[in-house]
Structures are given as C-alpha cells and as structure tokens.
Amino acid sequence: MSSATDIALRHHGDVDATPGLVDLAVNVRAGTPPPWLRDELAAVDLARYPDDRAAREALAAQHGRAVEEVLPVAGAAEAFVLVARALRPRRAVVVHPQFTEPELALRAAGHAVDRVVLEPPFTLDPAVVPEDADLVIVGNPTNPTSVLHPAATLRALRRPGRTVVVDEAFADCVPGEAESLAGERGVVVIRSLTKTWGLAGLRVGYVLADADVIGALADAQPHWAVSSPALAACVACSSARARAEVEAWTHRLAADRAFLADRLSALPGLAVVHPARASFVLARLDRPRAWEPLRSKGFAVRRADTFPGLDEHWIRLAVRDTTTSSALIDALKECL
Ligand SMILES: Cc1ncc(COP(=O)(O)O)c(C=O)c1O
C-alpha cells in the first residue's frame, strides 16, 4: 500500500506534534499517566510472561460482562487488525469521517471496504448503511468529528448475520459513559486506555463482545501480545478510584471544551461541529490549510484533510486548559 490515499490514511496527529510546539494534535489527556499509575506499572515483574486473567476479570467486572466476553489487546489499533483477521466479511462498511486504522486493517487483510461518508453535522441515520453490509465499523464518540451517536442509533444498525463494531476509544470522555454499548451483547466494542491514561506508548486497550467473537479474535492474536505492564494497567484503571478520577475529569473536560468551542465559534470564518462530546473539537475554516500558519505560531493542530470526507478547510483541536485555549484563539485570530 503506497498510494497517496493510503499515505493520507496513515497520517496521525503524533507526526504533527513535534517537540517545542503546543500539542493540540494528539488527544492524550494532559498530565497523564498519573503518579499512582506510574508506580503500579513500575512494580510489575517484567521477567515473567504476561498472564491476562486478572485483567480480564477486572475489565469484565467493570462492564458487567463475563470473563469470556473480554479480550485485552495491544491498543485499539491491534483490535482492528484482529477483527480484520478473524472475520470474513462479504461487504465491509466503514462510516466516515472516522479514525482510519479500521479501514487500513481491513484492506491489509484483503477485504474490500465500502465507505459511508457522513456530511456535516455528521449525525448517523442507520438507513444510509447498505442493507447487505455484514460488517459495519463506526466510532462513538467519533474521531475526528467529536459527535456522540445515540446508543439507539447504533443498536438500529444490528441485523442477523451482521457484525457491528463500535470504536469506543473515547467513550470514557463522556460523563457516565453515556451512549456506550460496552455492557451489551450483540455488538463488538473496542476500548482504549491510551488517551485518558496517557499510555499511548504502552499500547493497551480491550475488546468487549460475545464469547464466540472474543474466541475468534483471541485465536487471531499473537501469544503474549499484551505486555504485563499493559495488563496491570487494565486492572489499575478498572478500580473504583480510577473510575472516579475519570468521571471527575469528564466534567472538567466538558467545561474546558465549552470554553474552547464558544470562543472558536465567535471567530469569523470558522465553524465548530456541535455538539462536541470527546476530548477534541472539529472546526471548519474558510481559510484552507490553517495548520501551517498555526504551526509557525507554535501550535501543532491535527490537519483533518486526511480523513475521508474532509478537506483542507478542516482542523481538529485537542481540548486543553483555558489558558492554552485562549492562546490558541489569539493565534487563530491572526491566521484568519
Ligand atoms: C478513534 C480512535 N480509535 C482508536 C485509536 C487507537 O487507539 P490505541 O492507542 O488504543 O491503539 C485512536 C488513536 O488515535 C483513535 O483516535
């Protein structure tokens, strides 16, 4: 794979966030991992081979699932590869604009992929998904739009013989994990610990699905794919204390996001996708390629033209504290 399209699909914000710039391109929660989590990970015995039982039990308990319905993975990115390896879709559909790794993983495994490309404001009508699609992948809340689809909309995608995969990598940004299908049978839910807990370098996430699907995904996974520290993170981040920490943060995030979205919306020549529900906002600017002047002003933002359905007028901005957002607004004013 080396076409210009594939190169674009492989672009991620980490490439833009070079040292020295204010990083608004990557959506990892600022100030993470917290010291208590660092300590727990540092205490892990690295000489032993990983054993995922405690992680599976902790994640199952967190989401009210059976242990057989949980599979730890080396980041949500690995889960997409396992889905692509384990399933044999006749017609795979990816709902865009969304994170591009699911489409890339499917294609790398030899599957043709059809796109359903939503228009602003990026709400999903289940009827736009072709009836004969037997694999549908959708993000919730979606990267890069920050749109949170109602759980009922996602449930309406289910059909006999169809696998619905919901990428919930940002579900823990939403107070109470509203609209999450993590506790429900009949769908495949992919979760990540890398953003909220600052573990992008560790690679850790998990899949929640019916036991037969989990079995098939596990068969496609290399042995010991998930490291012992990553498994320890699954246990640590499932604790009541960790859940309370995240829930408190979701409310601060909502306030910081409202601050950013309100000020962005007040700028001429700029419109924010509303309502944003994740740790980032998507904006359309009359001016194309705004990421270039912002970069020269010290801000790395995510160019969004590499997402199917978007073009050079779109940028994605991580939600940070109000001081950082105010500085961004000042820089943007000079660019518009
Ligand atoms: C929507 C979405 N899903 C999944 C991932 C991958 O997550 P992980 O770091 O757990 O592989 C990302 C990373 O940016 C993402 O934005």
Side-chain angles (χ1 to χ4, degrees):
M1 274 205 247
S2 58
S3 72
T5 312
D6 291 331
I7 292 167
L9 292 183
R10 289 204 179 280
H11 184 91
H12 295 300
D14 53 340
V15 177
D16 299 318
T18 41
L21 296 177
V22 178
D23 177 9
L24 306 178
V26 178
N27 300 308
V28 171
R29 177 161 68 116
T32 55
W36 65 263
L37 181 54
R38 279 180 196 271
D39 290 347
E40 293 205 26
L41 301 188
V44 171
D45 180 357
L46 297 179
R48 296 173 66 89
Y49 277 89
D51 177 345
D52 71 2
R53 280 173 297 186
R56 291 173 89 142
E57 281 168 16
L59 294 167
Q62 180 190 336
H63 293 289
R65 313 276 309 220
V67 172
E68 301 73 32
E69 295 175 331
V70 181
L71 181 68
V73 289
E78 190 198 24
F80 304 131
V81 174
L82 300 182
V83 166
R85 279 186 196 156
L87 303 186
R88 297 272 167 273
R90 287 182 312 282
R91 187 166 188 195
V93 168
V94 176
V95 180
H96 282 294
Q98 78 147 295
F99 189 56
T100 47
E101 289 297 322
E103 174 168 328
L104 285 165
L106 286 168
R107 285 167 43 191
H111 307 299
V113 176
D114 282 342
R115 295 177 177 174
V116 165
V117 181
L118 305 180
E119 301 284 332
F122 308 111
T123 46
L124 175 62
D125 172 1
V128 299
V129 174
E131 201 51 44
D132 62 347
D134 58 353
L135 173 63
V136 180
I137 304 190
V138 58
N140 209 39
T142 308
N143 173 13
T145 61
S146 207
V147 168
L148 182 68
H149 302 298
T153 300
L154 302 176
R155 284 190 201 106
L157 289 172
R158 291 185 296 193
R159 300 275 182 287
R162 175 188 282 180
T163 303
V164 176
V165 176
V166 186
D167 175 3
E168 291 195 358
F170 290 98
D172 53 6
C173 294
V174 183
E177 298 198 352
E179 315 303 341
S180 168
L181 296 185
E184 291 191 25
R185 299 236 165 80
V187 286
V188 178
V189 172
I190 296 175
R191 301 287 295 247
S192 172
L193 296 182
T194 68
K195 289 105 180 28
T196 297
W197 293 108
L199 300 175
L202 187 61
R203 315 304 309 128
V204 53
Y206 53 97
V207 185
L208 302 161
D210 295 0
D212 57 333
V213 177
I214 290 294
L217 298 181
D219 287 347
Q221 189 179 37
H223 215 92
W224 308 303
V226 188
S227 70
S228 302
L231 294 168
C234 291
V235 176
C237 299
S238 300
S239 69
R241 165 203 176 155
R243 303 317 311 156
E245 181 178 323
V246 173
E247 187 62 20
W249 166 70
T250 61
H251 296 284
R252 291 197 301 277
L253 171 68
D256 287 343
R257 188 177 54 223
F259 179 91
L260 174 63
D262 288 352
R263 276 150 190 81
L264 286 171
S265 301
L267 296 178
L270 188 154
V272 178
V273 176
H274 182 79
R277 300 297 299 276
S279 52
F280 46 85
V281 299
L282 182 66
R284 189 189 184 286
L285 291 79
D286 291 344
R287 181 200 204 290
R289 302 182 72 84
W291 57 85
E292 289 171 346
L294 282 171
R295 197 173 179 78
S296 60
K297 292 184 186 305
F299 293 90
V301 306
R302 173 65 157 94
R303 61 186 295 171
D305 60 328
T306 60
F307 290 101
L310 304 182
D311 64 18
E312 294 184 341
H313 290 272
W314 295 88
I315 58 173
R316 192 194 67 201
L317 303 161
V319 176
R320 302 287 186 223
D321 58 66
T322 54
T323 308
T324 308
S325 292
S326 297
L328 167 73
I329 298 293
D330 290 342
L332 258 172
K333 278 182 187 155
E334 294 169 25
C335 300
L336 289 173

